[in-house]
């Protein structure tokens, strides 16, 4: 897609501008994650999730009809703005679980996230430029001839639409928002609050303020800081791999790439998604029980380093 923009004059420029698109998405997402979380504490988890799905649906379509790099950059940035609300999903998991199943439920979240990322790459590769790749179905389509990258975006939007509909009718609010109503008459019953609304609000604000002041600094223990740093490095490596691989795979063999077309890259993403599910559900539980979580974490870091070195040291020959 980036290669079709007028701003790209050489095939080597594609990596730079594709990186800018990815950066704009992650930058807006990082800026808004905390604000979405705070908003969900005020209005509830359900509205924030629905707003995120609606924004994701619309920005997907905007990205698919992009005819210039600036338009694509704006659409991608807006997509990052709305998907920052996905952090609320972890809050929902925590609120609907208990000590007996919270660990297993939290473990399913990254599994589904990585599987969805791989599946999204497969959808993008398989459905791009349908007029060329599927002439029997879309050969006469003026819309997809004008916008060759619209179909995969419409598929992604349809998934967001499905989630929006299911969320609207099936998702229940998990945040316990207690509203204290004033009695309509002077009659006192068991439903009458013991303190007034103003006193209750003042007490809640004082407790929240003290809790916030306590948690800002005391939670950052040396152990927590080390975990955050290693997680940052690991996420950086995974993100770099996920963004580098499509560019590396599409680059000509003469320039050190794999020379794959979009459909082949899509199939490779699909294969990776299946392997992720198999390893998470079948291999990892056995490995973790035998060697422990720490050894699994170290092995994963070593494998990521080895894979990165293999790609970096690959010769064009």
């Amino acid at each position: 897609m980036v290669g079709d923009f007028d701003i790209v004059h050489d095939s080597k420029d594609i990596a730079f501008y594709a990186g800018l698109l990815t950066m704009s998405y992650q930058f807006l997402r990082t800026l808004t994650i905390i604000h979405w979380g705070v908003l969900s504490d005020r209005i509830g988890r359900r509205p924030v999730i629905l707003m995120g799905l609606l924004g994701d649906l619309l920005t997907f379509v905007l990205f698919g009809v992009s005819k210039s790099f600036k338009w694509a950059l704006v659409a991608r940035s807006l997509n990052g703005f709305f998907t920052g609300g996905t952090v609320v999903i972890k809050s929902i998991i925590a609120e609907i679980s208990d000590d007996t199943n919270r660990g297993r439920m939290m473990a399913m979240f990254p599994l589904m996230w990585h599987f969805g990322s791989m599946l999204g790459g497969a959808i993008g590769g398989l459905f791009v430029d349908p007029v060329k790749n599927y002439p029997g179905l879309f050969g006469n389509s003026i819309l997809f001839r004008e916008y060759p990258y619209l179909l995969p975006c419409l598929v992604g939007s349809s998934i967001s639409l499905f989630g929006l509909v299911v969320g609207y009718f099936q998702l229940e609010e998990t945040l316990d928002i207690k509203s204290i109503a004033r009695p309509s008459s002077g009659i006192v019953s068991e439903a009458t609050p013991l303190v007034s609304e103003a006193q209750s609000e003042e007490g809640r604000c004082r407790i929240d303020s003290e809790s916030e002041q306590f948690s800002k600094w005391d939670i950052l223990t040396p152990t927590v800081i080390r975990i955050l740093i290693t997680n940052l490095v690991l996420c950086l490596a995974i993100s770099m791999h996920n963004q580098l691989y499509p560019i590396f795979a599409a680059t000509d063999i003469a320039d050190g790439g794999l020379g794959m077309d979009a459909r082949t890259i899509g199939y490779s993403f699909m294969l990776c998604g299946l392997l992720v599910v198999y390893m998470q559900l079948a291999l990892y539980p056995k490995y973790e029980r035998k060697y422990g979580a720490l050894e699994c974490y170290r092995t994963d870091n070593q494998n990521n380093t080895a894979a990165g070195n293999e790609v970096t040291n690959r010769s064009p020959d």
Side-chain angles (χ1 to χ4, degrees):
M1 182 179 189
V2 176
D4 292 340
F5 294 144
D6 295 336
I7 197 172
V8 176
H9 303 290
D10 188 88
S11 59
K12 296 181 180 180
D13 295 336
I14 296 178
F16 173 75
Y17 289 106
L20 287 182
L21 287 178
T22 303
M23 184 193 69
S24 66
Y25 169 83
Q26 295 293 350
F27 181 71
L28 264 294
R29 189 170 185 269
T30 303
L31 286 182
T32 57
I33 279 181
I34 296 179
H35 300 288
W36 282 114
V38 173
L39 182 62
S40 71
D41 289 335
R42 294 180 179 178
I43 66 176
R45 316 298 189 203
R46 182 174 179 272
V48 171
I49 292 294
L50 296 180
M51 284 190 291
L53 287 171
L54 179 61
D56 188 58
L57 187 157
L58 297 176
T59 53
F60 245 132
V61 178
L62 289 177
F63 188 73
V65 297
S66 300
K67 300 293 290 184
S68 66
F69 179 77
K70 292 182 180 179
W71 183 279
L73 187 66
V74 172
R76 195 65 176 143
S77 300
L78 290 175
N79 188 252
F81 173 83
F82 284 104
T83 55
T86 54
V87 68
V88 180
I89 298 177
K90 292 185 178 180
S91 300
I92 295 178
I93 295 176
E95 290 164 352
I96 64 176
S97 60
D98 53 37
D99 294 337
T100 63
N101 57 11
R102 183 171 293 116
R104 289 185 302 233
M105 295 181 68
M106 285 294 182
M108 292 298 295
F109 181 80
L111 170 63
M112 293 296 100
W113 180 270
H114 290 299
F115 178 70
S117 299
M118 296 299 178
L119 183 61
I123 291 174
L126 294 176
F127 292 99
V128 67
D129 199 358
V131 174
K132 177 182 178 181
N133 294 323
Y134 307 101
L137 294 175
F138 303 100
N140 298 324
S141 175
I142 300 177
L143 178 64
F144 293 128
R145 189 181 300 276
E146 181 70 17
Y147 303 104
Y149 303 97
L150 178 59
L151 182 59
C153 293
L154 289 179
V155 175
S157 296
S158 64
I159 297 175
S160 298
L161 178 61
F162 175 77
L164 182 64
V165 174
V166 173
Y168 182 82
F169 290 104
Q170 299 293 329
L171 181 62
E172 298 180 359
E173 181 58 61
T174 60
L175 181 63
D176 186 14
I177 304 177
K178 297 181 179 179
S179 57
I180 302 177
R182 295 181 181 273
S184 56
S185 63
I187 301 176
V188 179
S189 66
E190 63 273 10
T192 305
L194 297 177
V195 295
S196 65
E197 183 178 359
Q199 292 173 329
S200 177
E201 183 65 27
E202 180 182 356
R204 285 199 302 270
C205 291
R206 183 170 62 253
I207 293 175
D208 292 341
S209 177
E210 293 175 355
S211 176
E212 182 180 0
Q213 184 179 3
F214 173 80
S215 62
K216 280 181 178 179
W217 304 106
D218 294 339
I219 197 175
L220 295 178
T221 62
T223 301
V224 172
I225 292 176
R226 286 195 294 269
I227 293 175
L228 291 176
I229 292 176
T230 55
N231 186 65
L232 172 64
V233 175
L234 183 60
C235 291
L236 177 63
I238 294 175
S239 299
M240 291 175 63
H241 172 268
N242 291 340
Q243 300 305 320
L244 175 64
Y245 171 72
I247 300 174
F248 170 67
T251 303
D252 293 336
I253 296 178
D255 295 328
L258 299 178
M260 295 183 178
D261 57 14
R263 294 183 65 181
T264 305
I265 296 175
Y267 286 127
S268 66
F269 270 113
M270 184 179 299
L271 177 61
C272 289
L274 295 176
L275 289 176
V276 166
V277 174
Y278 174 74
M279 294 180 65
Q280 288 281 352
L281 296 181
L283 297 184
Y284 175 76
K286 297 179 181 179
Y287 194 88
E288 193 273 336
R289 283 193 299 267
K290 185 176 181 180
Y291 298 102
L294 181 59
E295 182 63 25
C296 293
Y297 186 73
R298 290 172 175 171
T299 303
D300 183 63
N301 285 331
Q302 292 172 359
N303 291 336
N304 283 325
T305 302
N309 291 335
E310 180 67 22
V311 173
T312 304
N313 296 329
R314 187 180 187 276
S315 171
D317 298 333

